[in-house]
Amino acid sequence: MPEGRRGAVRSEAARVAILEATAALFAERGYDHLSIEGIAARAGVGKQTVYRWWPGKSALIADCLLEGMLLPDRFAVPDTGDLRADLIAWLAGVEGVLDSPTVEGLFRSLIAAASENAEVAQRLRESLADPRLFAPRLRAARDSGEVRADLPVDEVSETLIGAIMLRALARTPRDPGLPERLVDLTLGPRPS
């Protein structure tokens, strides 16, 4: 006989309040200063309610990522029909978002959370380098001859976001020419 869930039935309103409180406090204070006590107080629930459903703050961050509560919509890749221009615009936009002190702190905190919890790391990867954002468009561009026939589609998104993440973590000043150079490195130079 399957073992049933123990404890009180999960209230959807309480779950949403806890996730919203987590996202708000995470954005305000960062991962290191996030506490279950603070989350519970902000959500208007007891901390035992939080612990009943999540083992700790990393799991809460993972659920906030999954629910789309932490990363701005600006990470969506545009689709104007020109893959190269779209990737350059996307990289420039991500760099611009990461230049914001609030988002920079949020990003560093996400990296800290990901280093502690494999589930957070996986969800962060899915949020930032989601192959569904790049792969279909890259395959279509490869099939149409817009990019080289041997383009390693599955690695391109990780290469692009990885370069931006490393620069953000190293606090390297923004380089206006970087998006074009990265796209040239991954797709090859624009045909003449």
Side-chain angles (χ1 to χ4, degrees), residues 145-161:
E146 185 179 354
V147 297
R148 66 185 199 263
D150 65 342
L151 183 75
V153 169
D154 294 333
E155 288 83 11
V156 168
S157 62
E158 289 181 359
T159 299
L160 293 174
I161 194 64

Side-chain angles (χ1 to χ4, degrees), residues 36-61:
I36 298 299
E37 293 81 7
I39 292 167
R42 173 80 63 101
V45 300
K47 81 177 180 181
Q48 69 279 8
T49 301
V50 178
Y51 280 120
R52 184 179 307 124
W53 298 330
W54 293 277
K57 63 185 185 179
S58 290
L60 275 164
I61 296 301

